[in-house]
Amino acid sequence: MSLIRVIFSIIFPPLAVIDKGCGSILIVFILTLCGWIPGVIGALIILNKN
């Protein structure tokens, strides 16, 4: 997980997981709509997976 991706996940979480697939983007986008903090947490969890 690079520093740039962490910054993207804090600023706009769906942008950080754009290369992880359509499902990841959709999940993080829905979480971001529910609240900014769940979106950030979801993006960081997805980025932390191998």
Side-chain angles (χ1 to χ4, degrees):
M1 182 170 20
S2 68
L3 181 64
I4 293 173
R5 288 191 182 256
V6 172
I7 292 171
F8 281 156
S9 67
I10 292 171
I11 296 171
F12 187 66
L15 183 63
V17 296
I18 200 156
D19 66 339
K20 299 294 183 181
C22 185
S24 297
I25 296 171
L26 185 63
I27 290 170
V28 173
F29 185 73
I30 291 170
L31 286 172
T32 304
L33 288 178
C34 292
W36 177 71
I37 293 176
V40 171
I41 292 171
L44 290 174
I45 289 172
I46 290 173
L47 288 176
N48 200 22
K49 288 185 180 179
N50 289 333

